[in-house]
Amino acid sequence: MPNYGVSEFSSIFVTTGTPKITKIHRIANRGEYQFFRDYYLPLRTAIKSLFIHKRHISHLYEVARKQKDNGKKVNFEKVANNFKDWQSGKNITAYTPPHGHFNYLQTSINCNPELNVVVNGLPRLVKLHFNASDRMTQERANIICYLISDVISDDDFTYSVLDLATGQEFFFNDNPDRMHHRIQDEIEVIQSHWA
């Protein structure tokens, strides 16, 4: 059964031609998720716990400094800087984020926002994006926000994607009905290439 993370599904969705097929086959043939291969895991974990455990932003820089690889240290510091800029001046409280799966045909898409925050009094579910080489776009963010909002089904939230490679935050700005049909069509295409 095809099983995707919401970010990787959005990446496949916006890719065309042979690269799309290559991405689908790579995911079809990968093994089980291995958390230790997640390049940004220490920083992702630190960001997720920052508000809940009432830690200072300097905690992110401590995580960055502890990286043995200099390239990783530089990348982590850049992400920490972008996150610091995003949260600066905001009154933020946080809760454990809800999550779930969008299921259609035999495909399951894991919808797991990292942050469930109240920003200046308004509830927001935020999906974090770290990878500069897998560029976030408004189209990808629309796909991610739509899927998460469909799974969570709570109109009190605003849904967004925070691109920590650039510091830009994207909000859903598409037609929900149209997006729903596009996602179903895309899943049918993906499943036809699943091997």
Side-chain angles (χ1 to χ4, degrees):
M1 175 166 117
N3 194 337
Y4 299 93
V6 69
S7 292
E8 67 188 356
F9 176 80
S10 74
S11 180
I12 291 169
F13 192 112
V14 300
T15 305
T16 59
T18 303
K20 179 191 261 325
I21 309 298
T22 301
K23 283 184 179 187
I24 293 168
H25 289 166
R26 188 178 318 125
I27 292 168
N29 294 313
R30 72 177 173 201
E32 290 292 315
Y33 171 71
Q34 297 173 325
F35 69 89
F36 58 86
R37 292 182 185 254
D38 182 345
Y39 181 86
Y40 285 103
L41 181 64
L43 200 54
R44 183 188 318 276
T45 303
I47 289 171
K48 286 168 63 173
S49 69
L50 195 66
F51 301 114
I52 291 176
H53 296 301
K54 302 193 183 336
R55 291 190 167 130
H56 190 269
I57 193 75
S58 62
H59 177 65
L60 302 185
Y61 293 97
E62 289 171 27
V63 171
R65 278 192 291 276
K66 289 180 181 175
Q67 302 310 305
K68 292 179 176 72
D69 178 271
N70 280 335
K72 196 170 189 179
K73 192 178 296 188
V74 168
N75 290 338
F76 276 34
E77 285 177 1
K78 181 179 178 183
V79 166
N81 286 334
N82 285 333
F83 189 80
K84 179 183 175 188
D85 290 346
W86 175 80
Q87 61 89 47
S88 181
K90 294 180 173 82
N91 180 9
I92 299 174
T93 53
Y95 306 92
T96 302
H99 60 87
H101 290 84
F102 181 92
N103 298 305
Y104 180 67
L105 302 175
Q106 289 99 21
T107 294
S108 182
I109 302 168
N110 184 21
C111 298
N112 57 339
E114 283 88 357
L115 298 178
N116 174 1
V117 291
V118 177
V119 180
N120 300 329
L122 301 171
R124 187 181 306 175
L125 286 177
V126 183
K127 180 68 183 160
L128 301 177
H129 180 76
F130 293 86
N131 191 344
S133 64
D134 189 22
R135 198 169 74 83
M136 182 53 57
T137 63
Q138 183 63 57
E139 184 179 16
R140 286 188 66 195
N142 282 341
I143 295 160
I144 293 167
C145 291
Y146 174 79
L147 286 166
I148 293 173
S149 69
D150 186 78
V151 167
I152 303 305
S153 292
D154 188 335
D155 293 335
D156 290 338
F157 284 111
T158 297
Y159 299 86
S160 72
V161 176
L162 177 58
D163 184 354
L164 290 170
T166 65
Q168 184 175 2
E169 187 170 17
F170 297 90
F171 296 89
F172 184 78
N173 71 356
D174 205 332
N175 177 289
D177 291 332
R178 187 177 78 90
M179 183 60 70
H180 184 80
H181 292 297
R182 286 184 66 208
I183 287 169
Q184 288 182 335
D185 291 346
E186 182 66 18
I187 287 172
E188 290 172 17
V189 168
I190 290 171
Q191 282 194 186
S192 73
H193 293 287
W194 187 262

